[in-house]
């Protein structure tokens, strides 16, 4: 196979993790959304080199909006532009993992405790619905659906805590946390269903102390699994 054709084939293969662009908003905003999601979800791997020309060809757009998008992703900490060396997806690091999840464990515990104290019947019913849907997804072996429901479950808890500052802080950490745990979600997702059930019981009983403990311990145990992934990498 000629080298040019081989290079084109390799470039296409390296971008298989990219989703189709949404049909709304500006082109750079659309590109940013799909590239960010591919990085967070693992479609683009940590350390993977990105070529503006390949991305432009993949989506049938010019290089100008792609380069603008890459600069924005660099500023947000998702990629690293190294002058004269290229552009790379940022690596997961043990230091960021420890710092991020140390704070997240405390805040998730706090949110769960507030949710136990302040939940309404309607909010508890929504949490129950998600837990039941998670159990059904686990029985089907639908790991992708489990991951989606895990995010939904905690988002409802943040709302149920009735503290807008706490909810906004956790929402701001969500994407960076997903960048770390998305890699191990398929292997741990079914175990998370049991944790959700324990947390649901604590919220049902309005046991704030237990809810705090279950939520924070869950985050810390997740860190152990992610740490192993980083060390293996």
């Amino acid at each position: 196979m000629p080298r040019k054709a081989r290079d084109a084939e390799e470039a296409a293969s390296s971008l298989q993790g990219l989703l189709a662009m949404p049909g709304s908003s500006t082109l750079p905003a659309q590109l940013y959304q799909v590239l960010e999601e591919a990085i967070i979800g693992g479609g683009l791997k940590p350390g993977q080199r990105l070529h503006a020309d390949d991305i432009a060809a993949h989506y049938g757009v010019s290089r100008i909006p792609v380069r603008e998008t890459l600069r924005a992703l660099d500023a947000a900490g998702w990629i690293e532009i190294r002058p004269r060396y290229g552009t790379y997806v940022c690596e997961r690091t043990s230091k960021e993992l420890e710092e991020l999840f140390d704070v997240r464990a405390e805040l998730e515990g706090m949110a769960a405790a507030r949710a136990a104290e302040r939940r309404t019947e309607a909010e508890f019913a929504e949490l129950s619905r998600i837990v039941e849907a998670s159990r059904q997804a686990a029985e089907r072996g639908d790991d992708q659906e489990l991951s989606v429901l895990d995010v939904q479950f905690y988002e409802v808890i943040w709302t149920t805590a009735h503290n807008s500052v706490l909810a906004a802080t956790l929402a701001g950490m969500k994407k960076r946390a997903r960048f770390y745990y998305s890699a191990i979600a398929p292997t741990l997702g079914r175990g998370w269903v049991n944790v959700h059930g324990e947390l649901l019981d604590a919220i049902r009983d309005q046991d704030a102390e237990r809810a705090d403990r279950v939520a924070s311990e869950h985050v810390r145990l997740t860190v152990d699994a992610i740490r192993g992934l980083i060390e293996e990498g």
Side-chain angles (χ1 to χ4, degrees), residues 134-144 146-147 150 184-197 218:
S134 296
R135 286 173 177 152
Q136 293 176 10
E139 290 175 0
R140 296 194 305 273
D142 190 339
D143 294 327
Q144 183 175 359
L146 275 172
S147 182
D150 178 72
I184 51 95
T187 57
L188 298 185
R190 298 177 198 183
W192 290 351
V193 175
N194 295 328
V195 176
H196 294 176
H218 171 52

Side-chain angles (χ1 to χ4, degrees), residues 117-130:
E117 294 169 341
R118 301 170 179 174
R119 56 90 173 166
T120 64
E121 289 301 321
E123 289 164 341
F124 177 72
E126 177 62 7
L127 288 169
S128 299
R129 183 195 67 77
I130 295 173

Side-chain angles (χ1 to χ4, degrees), residues 149-170:
L149 289 166
D150 178 72
V151 172
Q152 290 179 1
F153 181 74
Y154 284 100
E155 286 179 342
V156 174
I157 286 179
W158 304 343
T159 301
T160 304
H162 295 280
N163 183 315
S164 60
V165 173
L166 179 59
T169 302
L170 282 163

Side-chain angles (χ1 to χ4, degrees), residues 9-224:
E9 183 177 310
E10 289 176 354
S13 176
S14 71
L15 298 178
Q16 287 180 349
L18 295 180
L19 303 174
M21 286 194 294
S24 60
S25 71
T26 66
L27 181 55
Q30 294 173 43
L31 285 167
Y32 186 98
Q33 182 178 337
V34 295
L35 290 173
E36 180 188 57
E37 181 56 35
I39 292 168
I40 293 171
L44 295 176
K45 307 299 182 184
Q48 179 175 336
R49 187 171 185 179
L50 303 178
H51 298 273
D53 289 354
D54 294 340
I55 296 171
H58 181 81
Y59 285 115
V61 300
S62 75
R63 289 173 291 179
I64 295 174
V66 173
R67 288 173 176 167
E68 179 182 338
T69 300
L70 292 177
R71 286 194 294 270
L73 288 166
D74 178 55
W78 292 119
I79 66 173
E80 183 181 0
I81 298 175
R82 306 172 190 168
R84 298 187 300 278
Y85 290 96
T87 299
Y88 298 84
V89 177
C90 284
E91 300 277 3
R92 298 183 180 95
T93 69
S94 296
K95 183 176 185 294
E96 183 180 41
L97 170 68
E98 300 295 341
E99 293 177 348
L100 177 64
F101 279 74
D102 181 43
V103 174
R104 186 166 176 254
E106 295 298 323
L107 295 182
E108 291 286 11
M110 182 186 298
R114 298 295 183 274
E117 294 169 341
R118 301 170 179 174
R119 56 90 173 166
T120 64
E121 289 301 321
E123 289 164 341
F124 177 72
E126 177 62 7
L127 288 169
S128 299
R129 183 195 67 77
I130 295 173
V131 170
E132 180 55 32
S134 296
R135 286 173 177 152
Q136 293 176 10
E139 290 175 0
R140 296 194 305 273
D142 190 339
D143 294 327
Q144 183 175 359
E145 180 66 9
L146 275 172
S147 182
V148 171
L149 289 166
D150 178 72
V151 172
Q152 290 179 1
F153 181 74
Y154 284 100
E155 286 179 342
V156 174
I157 286 179
W158 304 343
T159 301
T160 304
H162 295 280
N163 183 315
S164 60
V165 173
L166 179 59
T169 302
L170 282 163
M173 300 172 66
K174 180 176 70 174
K175 287 182 178 180
R176 204 66 191 177
R178 279 186 59 217
F179 175 62
Y180 280 86
Y181 71 66
S182 63
I184 51 95
T187 57
L188 298 185
R190 298 177 198 183
W192 290 351
V193 175
N194 295 328
V195 176
H196 294 176
E198 290 181 39
L199 194 45
L200 183 68
D201 289 344
I203 292 172
R204 177 199 62 208
D205 297 339
Q206 297 188 294
D207 187 338
E209 183 178 348
R210 182 183 173 202
D212 186 335
R213 183 178 67 255
V214 171
S216 60
E217 285 181 356
H218 171 52
V219 173
R220 292 192 171 96
L221 287 173
T222 301
V223 169
D224 292 338

